Amino acid sequence: MKALVIGKGGREHALVHALLESSFINKVFALPGNQGMGKEVTQLSVEVESASIHKACIENDIELVVIGPEDPLVQGLASQLRQKGLAVFGPGEQGAKLEGSKIYSKKFMEKHKIPTAAFEVVSSVEKTLEKASNFTPPYVLKADGLAAGKGVFICKDKTELEKAATDLFENKILGEAGREALLEQFQPGYELSFFILTTGADYVALPMAQDHKKIFEGETGPNTGGMGTVAPMKISDSLYRTIIEEVVEPTQKGIQAESFDYKGVVFIGIMVTDSGPQVLEYNVRFGDPETQVLLPLLDGDWGEAFYKISQGEKPQLKWKEGFATCVVLAAEKYPESSVKDVVIEGDFSGSKEAYFLHAGTKLTEENHWVTNGGRVLNAVALASTLQESIEKAYKQADRVCWPGRQMRKDIGKKALDSLK
Ligand code: GLY
């Protein structure tokens, strides 16, 4: 079977990498993909829109489409392609609203009794300040729509809250995505990312991964898309059971009760608080860079798993014993911006257990790899212990360098400490 991956970043390179290893899939296409995905992958250049993609699939005999990023999912691409007869891994438009609208998502949690922080819907500075009296600081203001990771404001007091609300509702810094927002109770605790694959009717859980969201060591500096991940994360059996009973099962039941056309992944952002797990948010796509460490842990065939999900059939997944680490190499000035076209020096080769995935690179006419985005490369490594996988990932990362390269040196440190 031939498969198409939609998207172009490190997550999509991880998906392509997994499908290239599949014996179920004999040819991989990417739209648009990136040059780092290699010559085995055919990059398509049609518009990301159902009629054009369907035509390209017919012309190239593609049967399975795996959609990476949230934007096309929220625009309904998965359901449109399914209606045209393609096998698609990704939720339809209604299900994708769980990520596309934070307000819709909260109402889903409320309706299906899924634990989450208390909230109010606000759409003006005045209302935000009035409703703030229902909460204790710090205040959390979340733009309703997709905002590429820039839609959450943690405000230490009312002055900061007023500024955030003014930016959203009056300065319209996020445009339509910030027309309405959630004002939420801040919940102290620690974060876990939980992934399930769902057919709509049934689900299977993946191992847990831990992201490192801040740009600098020790979780300091501004937020990024993610600077590195490790998996599997170990938590106590009792916490795992609580998460399954209080969060995962009600989420799955809610998806079923709403009759969503959901055949894909649900990425549940959880805050573990003193009063138990609380859902922070749903994402309807794989995490980036979580995918880079989750996919290589499968002792099986991702092509077959994605196809089964797309057909409403629950796959039986078996996991390897080892650990995976991903270290993100980012461009100078990331996350505020990124310095592009800087030549990357070094050796891009790897092995089955340690390799690069490309996220924001470009090949020049002179055949040099240059930076072409915020997160540039992912160094991924697998090993039998977490310590070893971390060491191997850093060794891989150090095969390349460029002026201004940013890399956190403490990926996996917290997970290692928790194993002691
Ligand atoms: N790594 C976080 C995300 O993909 O949203």
Side-chain angles (χ1 to χ4, degrees):
M1 178 180 293
K2 296 183 173 60
L4 168 66
V5 172
I6 295 181
K8 62 178 182 179
R11 166 184 50 209
E12 286 75 25
H13 192 176
L15 290 164
V16 161
H17 188 265
L19 291 178
L20 287 172
E21 306 228 306
S22 162
S23 42
F24 190 81
I25 302 295
N26 54 32
K27 170 83 193 142
V28 182
F29 292 79
L31 172 61
N34 69 52
Q35 291 163 297
M37 289 176 175
K39 292 199 168 44
E40 284 164 280
V41 178
T42 302
Q43 286 185 253
L44 300 178
S45 56
V46 302
E47 214 184 311
V48 182
E49 166 278 324
S50 65
S52 312
I53 294 173
H54 181 240
K55 186 164 172 273
C57 287
I58 301 288
E59 283 168 3
N60 293 290
D61 202 17
I62 296 165
E63 289 174 75
L64 173 65
V65 181
V66 179
I67 303 176
E70 59 274 26
D71 298 74
L73 291 167
V74 169
Q75 283 154 23
L77 184 63
S79 26
Q80 291 153 13
L81 292 178
R82 264 199 280 280
Q83 274 158 19
K84 292 181 187 294
L86 290 163
V88 184
F89 180 85
E93 195 169 358
Q94 269 307 109
K97 272 181 89 174
L98 289 178
E99 179 165 359
S101 165
K102 301 277 176 288
I103 297 171
Y104 179 84
S105 179
K106 271 290 206 195
K107 290 186 173 164
F108 172 91
M109 292 178 221
E110 200 173 40
K111 179 170 170 190
H112 298 289
K113 305 198 168 25
I114 296 157
T116 190
F119 69 98
E120 294 278 358
V121 176
V122 289
S123 54
S124 68
V125 178
E126 196 190 2
K127 202 77 180 160
T128 305
L129 293 175
E130 179 197 320
K131 295 289 182 191
S133 53
N134 297 344
F135 303 100
T136 49
Y139 304 101
V140 183
L141 191 66
K142 284 185 184 168
D144 180 48
L146 292 183
K150 295 188 165 45
V152 181
F153 304 84
I154 315 271
C155 311
K156 71 172 186 306
D157 53 28
K158 284 201 178 153
T159 310
E160 280 193 14
L161 181 63
E162 183 171 6
K163 182 180 179 318
T166 307
D167 279 347
L168 273 191
F169 305 130
E170 289 176 8
N171 301 334
K172 300 191 189 311
I173 58 165
L174 296 177
E176 191 54 18
R179 196 173 54 78
E180 289 187 289
L182 287 173
L183 180 62
E184 266 188 37
Q185 180 58 56
F186 178 81
Q187 306 256 48
Y190 64 93
E191 277 188 53
L192 287 177
S193 304
F194 205 103
F195 294 83
I196 61 168
L197 303 185
T198 180
T199 62
D202 206 351
Y203 77 93
V204 55
L206 304 191
M208 268 179 294
Q210 186 167 58
D211 196 2
H212 298 68
K213 297 287 287 182
K214 304 282 186 181
I215 187 76
F216 301 129
E217 279 93 16
E219 285 305 308
T220 55
N223 254 333
T224 68
M227 291 300 289
T229 37
V230 289
M233 273 292 292
K234 308 280 183 190
I235 57 171
S236 71
D237 289 348
S238 72
L239 177 58
Y240 190 83
R241 264 197 316 275
T242 308
I243 290 175
I244 294 288
E245 282 164 18
E246 295 181 8
V247 172
V248 175
E249 298 273 350
T251 298
Q252 169 61 37
K253 286 200 180 104
I255 287 173
Q256 210 169 339
E258 301 293 336
S259 304
F260 290 155
D261 162 33
Y262 209 123
K263 292 173 174 61
V265 60
V266 191
F267 164 4
I268 313 174
I270 296 171
M271 183 66 83
V272 181
T273 70
D274 287 347
S275 55
Q278 305 269 326
V279 175
L280 285 173
E281 62 175 15
Y282 290 117
N283 296 298
V284 298
R285 37 84 192 170
F286 275 115
D288 186 349
E290 287 89 343
T291 315
Q292 288 84 321
V293 288
L294 290 175
L295 298 192
L297 290 177
L298 182 73
D299 187 4
D301 188 318
W302 277 111
E304 190 179 12
F306 291 145
Y307 183 73
K308 279 194 167 165
I309 290 281
S310 78
Q311 300 306 295
E313 203 186 318
K314 175 175 150 175
Q316 297 301 323
L317 303 183
K318 208 171 124 224
W319 302 97
K320 294 175 189 161
E321 288 294 326
F323 291 81
T325 296
C326 168
V327 173
V328 171
L329 304 179
E332 187 176 4
K333 293 210 160 77
Y334 180 72
E336 285 79 21
S337 61
S338 57
V339 180
K340 294 204 173 83
D341 298 314
V342 181
V343 174
I344 305 169
E345 306 283 358
D347 173 10
F348 281 76
S349 66
S351 65
K352 242 179 136 38
E353 268 95 37
Y355 50 88
F356 285 116
L357 295 171
H358 289 242
T361 59
K362 197 174 72 182
L363 201 54
T364 63
E365 279 173 13
E366 298 77 37
N367 227 25
H368 293 307
W369 286 107
V370 295
T371 60
N372 189 37
R375 290 184 291 176
V376 177
L377 283 164
N378 306 148
V380 179
L382 298 170
S384 55
T385 67
L386 178 59
Q387 173 83 50
E388 214 187 316
S389 78
I390 295 169
E391 285 166 10
K392 272 167 89 170
Y394 277 110
K395 204 163 159 207
Q396 182 68 21
D398 279 334
R399 293 173 89 97
V400 297
C401 201
W402 66 89
R405 182 192 82 164
Q406 299 193 75
M407 173 178 88
R408 268 181 68 162
K409 304 261 170 54
D410 63 346
I411 301 304
K413 185 176 179 309
K414 241 168 50 190
L416 263 186
D417 290 346
S418 74
L419 292 178
K420 282 179 191 158

